[in-house]
């Protein structure tokens, strides 16, 4: 994986995604409900990233804790489970 984490100003957050502003660039990051809860009322944040690069898109999945990202990656290794289910 290329991106380990992103640090920046939380400019938007909802239960499905967050936008982190890093030096004027807004990164759209898919998040879990657990991460959404952890981000409650925070301004500066660090999210651990899982990056998915496909032919038609680049996706970022962010997690408040490394352990949650590792569980996500373990679930992805199970046949038939994709990123939205994981």
């Amino acid at each position: 994986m290329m991106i380990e984490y992103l640090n920046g100003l939380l400019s938007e957050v909802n239960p499905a995604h967050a936008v982190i502003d890093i030096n004027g660039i807004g990164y759209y990051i898919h998040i879990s409900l657990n991460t959404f809860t952890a981000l409650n009322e925070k301004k500066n944040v660090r999210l651990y990233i899982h990056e998915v690069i496909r032919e038609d898109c680049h996706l970022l999945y962010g997690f408040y804790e490394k352990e949650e990202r590792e569980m996500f990656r373990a679930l992805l290794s199970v046949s038939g489970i994709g990123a939205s289910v994981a």
Side-chain angles (χ1 to χ4, degrees):
M1 299 297 145
M2 190 168 163
I3 300 173
E4 177 64 16
Y5 62 83
L6 293 173
N7 274 332
L9 180 65
L10 186 62
S11 64
E12 181 183 330
V13 66
N14 70 46
H17 76 271
V19 176
I20 297 180
D21 183 302
I22 303 172
N23 296 323
I25 299 173
Y27 292 88
Y28 185 99
I29 304 165
H30 299 275
I31 61 172
S32 67
L33 287 174
N34 187 51
T35 294
F36 172 72
T37 302
L39 293 176
N40 187 27
E41 298 189 27
K42 294 200 179 349
K43 295 190 189 253
N44 290 304
V45 297
R46 170 182 285 183
L47 290 181
Y48 295 94
I49 299 297
H50 177 82
E51 184 178 19
V52 176
I53 299 175
R54 296 188 195 144
E55 192 174 298
D56 59 340
C57 65
H58 292 213
L59 301 170
L60 299 175
Y61 293 89
F63 305 93
Y64 194 72
E65 297 178 346
K66 280 185 176 183
E67 294 78 15
E68 186 181 8
R69 181 182 63 181
E70 295 311 313
M71 177 62 74
F72 175 81
R73 288 177 173 169
L75 288 170
L76 285 180
S77 69
V78 176
S79 179
I81 294 184
S84 24
V85 173

